[in-house]
Amino acid sequence: MFRFHSSNYLYYLMATPLILILVIFSARAYSLKIRKLFKREIYEGLTQNVSLQKRNIKIALELLTLAFVILALARPQLGESTEKIKMEGFEVVFALDVSNSMLAEDLKPSRLEVAKRTIDKLLDRMTGYKVGLIAFAGNAGLVAPLTTDYSAIKTFLETTGTSSVSEQGTNFSTMIDAAIDAFRRGGAESDEHTRITRVVVVFSDGEDHESQAIKKVKELTKEGVRIFTVATGTAQGAPVPIRDAYGQLQGYKKDKTNNIIMSKVNVAFLQELSRAGQGVSYNASFSGDEVRELERDFDKLEKTEFESESLQKYDERFQIPLTLAFFILVAELLLTDYRPSKRRYT
């Protein structure tokens, strides 16, 4: 079976006849201009050593070279084979805190954006893992079910924000319930012979938590789920900005006495949460050290072999048009438009 992997490049072939028309028009316009400037005898003397036939051949070779380069960019492929890919990893649910306090800017551009970038970087380093995404604040919702399609997760992640949930606050219990539901819906079936490693990675500033979360996490670990936390924010804290629909700053969140609220990360609670979940707590940073640390600790966990996937493989044939383009270009460079003069001067 023959196909072009990047067939969009083939549209550029339509430009070659347009370039040819432009070259012909320009050459004729230039010739007419020269003829007007000089007498016939002078013009013929100036052009007697130029072969128009060879010049046309050179133009044709240049356009042919361009056409073969475009064909190479379109990546022609021939043949087809099926390959079984063994997928090995575990199931991960990223739980992203989207409460208003995550808009604080002690981490630039904001706590929420730093958390999203960290998840994005982790996805770039993962292979074979099943990944899901949860947004939580006062309540929690499944943004993306468990999947190995990381591009889909990234698309959902990009649009996740404080409006992704209907209620503000920070309710870790609802997040844990949503994580359990995600594993049950899209996770692999475990039995007496297979034990699935499952991980929840929580990105939060730990503010306004409720007391039932630790108890729920301890119950969760009995089902083989581990909790990792990433403290997103600084101990110094920052005010929570209030912006309009256009992103313009309108002020800062205030308490009942009209004082600006300083939102600070609750590292102690997040560490307690990860200890109860038999995991590790990290701190979000400008350098992204937490990404490398998470990747290192993930490698220590027991991996599960998931169902194999069948992938269609094609043999690349872009080398053929690329080689032809090279030799045609060499021929064009070696060919000159020089023509020996027949006129003899005495």
Side-chain angles (χ1 to χ4, degrees):
M1 180 179 177
F2 180 81
R3 71 166 193 172
F4 288 99
H5 180 273
S6 304
S7 57
N8 289 340
Y9 281 103
L10 295 177
Y11 290 112
Y12 292 110
L13 287 174
M14 297 169 62
T16 52
L18 296 176
I19 294 172
L20 179 60
I21 293 170
L22 183 63
V23 169
I24 293 172
F25 178 80
S26 300
R28 287 185 178 179
Y30 181 75
S31 178
L32 288 172
K33 186 177 180 180
I34 295 296
R35 286 175 186 272
K36 288 180 181 179
L37 289 174
F38 299 99
K39 292 182 179 180
R40 180 182 175 185
E41 294 81 4
I42 297 174
Y43 174 79
E44 290 179 351
L46 291 171
T47 60
Q48 65 177 330
N49 293 116
V50 178
S51 171
L52 293 179
Q53 184 179 7
K54 288 183 178 180
R55 180 168 288 181
N56 290 336
I57 292 173
K58 284 177 68 68
I59 292 171
L61 291 175
E62 289 168 357
L63 289 174
L64 200 57
T65 299
L66 176 62
F68 278 119
V69 168
I70 292 172
L71 286 174
L73 288 171
R75 288 178 61 186
Q77 296 176 332
L78 184 64
E80 183 179 351
S81 61
T82 303
E83 183 179 359
K84 289 284 186 180
I85 303 297
K86 185 177 73 174
M87 299 183 65
E88 196 174 56
F90 49 82
E91 296 173 353
V92 182
V93 168
F94 291 120
L96 180 62
D97 187 348
V98 292
S99 58
N100 286 329
S101 61
M102 289 291 285
L103 297 176
E105 298 173 354
D106 46 354
L107 294 179
K108 299 297 182 182
S110 71
R111 295 174 182 176
L112 182 59
E113 287 303 315
V114 168
K116 289 165 70 171
R117 288 180 185 178
T118 303
I119 295 173
D120 189 82
K121 290 176 184 177
L122 280 166
L123 289 170
D124 289 336
R125 293 170 176 259
M126 288 180 168
T127 52
Y129 297 14
K130 284 189 174 182
V131 179
L133 178 64
I134 288 172
F136 75 98
N139 56 6
L142 182 63
V143 177
L146 287 168
T147 179
T148 55
D149 185 359
Y150 300 158
S151 60
I153 298 289
K154 287 188 175 190
T155 301
F156 287 118
L157 178 66
E158 192 174 330
T159 57
T160 302
T162 53
S163 60
S164 298
V165 295
S166 59
E167 186 180 335
Q168 279 298 314
T170 309
N171 192 329
F172 285 88
S173 292
T174 59
M175 176 271 294
I176 294 166
D177 291 337
I180 294 171
D181 186 53
F183 288 129
R184 287 174 180 169
R185 283 188 183 185
E189 292 290 335
S190 59
D191 52 38
E192 57 183 7
H193 303 293
T194 306
R195 184 177 176 85
I196 310 298
T197 301
R198 289 175 172 146
V199 173
V200 178
V201 184
V202 182
F203 292 83
S204 175
D205 53 20
E207 276 204 338
D208 302 327
H209 61 276
E210 27 64 59
S211 58
Q212 294 297 315
I214 301 299
K215 183 179 178 181
K216 277 205 168 188
V217 165
K218 289 180 179 178
E219 293 174 359
L220 196 62
T221 56
K222 295 176 182 177
E223 299 184 26
V225 181
R226 303 179 68 170
I227 305 292
F228 291 77
T229 60
V230 180
T232 312
T234 63
Q236 293 77 20
V240 179
I242 300 172
R243 299 182 184 276
D244 61 19
Y246 302 100
Q248 299 297 317
L249 183 65
Q250 300 297 301
Y252 294 96
K253 191 176 179 181
K254 297 180 181 180
D255 58 20
K256 294 178 181 179
T257 58
N258 207 35
N259 293 317
I260 293 176
I261 298 172
M262 290 296 290
S263 173
K264 299 180 181 180
V265 66
N266 192 336
V267 176
F269 169 73
L270 293 170
Q271 288 176 342
E272 186 182 1
L273 195 71
S274 61
R275 279 196 300 270
Q278 298 180 5
V280 183
S281 183
Y282 313 90
N283 293 314
S285 63
F286 297 104
S287 61
D289 289 338
E290 70 278 9
V291 175
R292 291 184 290 273
E293 291 171 358
L294 269 163
E295 183 185 21
R296 179 198 63 205
D297 289 335
F298 279 0
D299 288 338
K300 296 176 183 178
L301 299 178
E302 183 181 356
K303 292 180 173 59
T304 304
E305 184 177 331
F306 298 117
E307 292 181 5
S308 298
E309 287 191 357
S310 297
L311 297 180
Q312 302 297 323
K313 292 191 66 179
Y314 295 86
D315 297 324
E316 296 284 353
R317 290 290 185 267
F318 70 88
Q319 303 92 336
I320 296 173
L322 197 61
T323 303
L324 289 172
F326 173 76
F327 283 112
I328 293 170
L329 183 60
V330 171
E332 189 276 335
L333 292 172
L334 294 176
L335 179 66
T336 67
D337 58 5
Y338 175 76
R339 179 178 64 181
S341 175
K342 295 180 180 179
R343 181 178 293 183
R344 295 288 183 269
Y345 296 95
T346 56

